[in-house]
Amino acid sequence: MTWTKVLTADTLASDGRQLVKVGKRKILVINHKGQLYAVDNTCPHLKMPMKNGKITESGAILCPIHRSAFDLLSGEVQEWCPWPPGVGKVMGMIAEQKKLPVFPVRVEEGSIWIDLQPE
């Protein structure tokens, strides 16, 4: 594993999120109910930013454009293209479902670290 320090732990408030840049990648670090997650900030479908996506009670992040739901822990698709009504389902049928890339997160010595190359 190749861990990269991205934030000090005290800069990420409870239920907060912070966009960090590591190399050419933009990673969204999320504190949801006291659990830390790191996901790629780019929706794998429309390549739009995920930063303002709603976090659901079930622990998924919604694409703010077409509301596909991605599990914060695994990146797996929970719901694919439900919006806009009618059009979203068609878009979903012609577009390949792809996982949202997620990254391991740890807190050590007051800093948040992520691994961009998970095994």
Side-chain angles (χ1 to χ4, degrees):
M1 292 191 157
T2 306
W3 292 96
T4 303
K5 182 167 69 170
V6 294
L7 295 167
T8 57
D10 61 359
T11 62
L12 189 60
S14 179
D15 293 319
R17 55 182 87 185
Q18 181 76 35
L19 189 62
V20 297
K21 192 168 182 182
V22 180
K24 294 182 179 182
R25 294 192 93 150
K26 291 181 180 175
I27 308 297
L28 185 59
V29 182
I30 300 166
N31 180 343
H32 178 64
K33 296 183 178 181
Q35 178 69 38
L36 295 177
Y37 303 93
V39 301
D40 195 298
N41 188 51
T42 305
C43 173
H45 182 211
L46 294 178
K47 309 298 183 211
M48 300 300 287
M50 297 291 288
K51 183 178 182 191
N52 295 321
K54 178 183 174 188
I55 307 292
T56 68
E57 286 299 315
S58 66
I61 186 168
L62 304 181
C63 173
I65 305 301
H66 58 81
R67 299 187 191 141
S68 287
F70 302 93
D71 184 81
L72 284 172
L73 191 57
S74 68
E76 293 290 337
V77 176
Q78 290 183 347
E79 187 174 18
W80 188 245
C81 295
W83 190 86
V87 177
K89 295 291 183 191
V90 173
M91 286 174 30
M93 287 188 285
I94 61 175
E96 177 185 357
Q97 287 189 35
K98 295 181 184 177
K99 287 174 57 173
L100 178 67
V102 298
F103 308 97
V105 182
R106 74 176 192 210
V107 177
E108 186 175 300
E109 297 179 2
S111 295
I112 298 172
W113 298 72
I114 60 173
D115 179 18
L116 292 180
Q117 300 175 348
E119 296 177 342

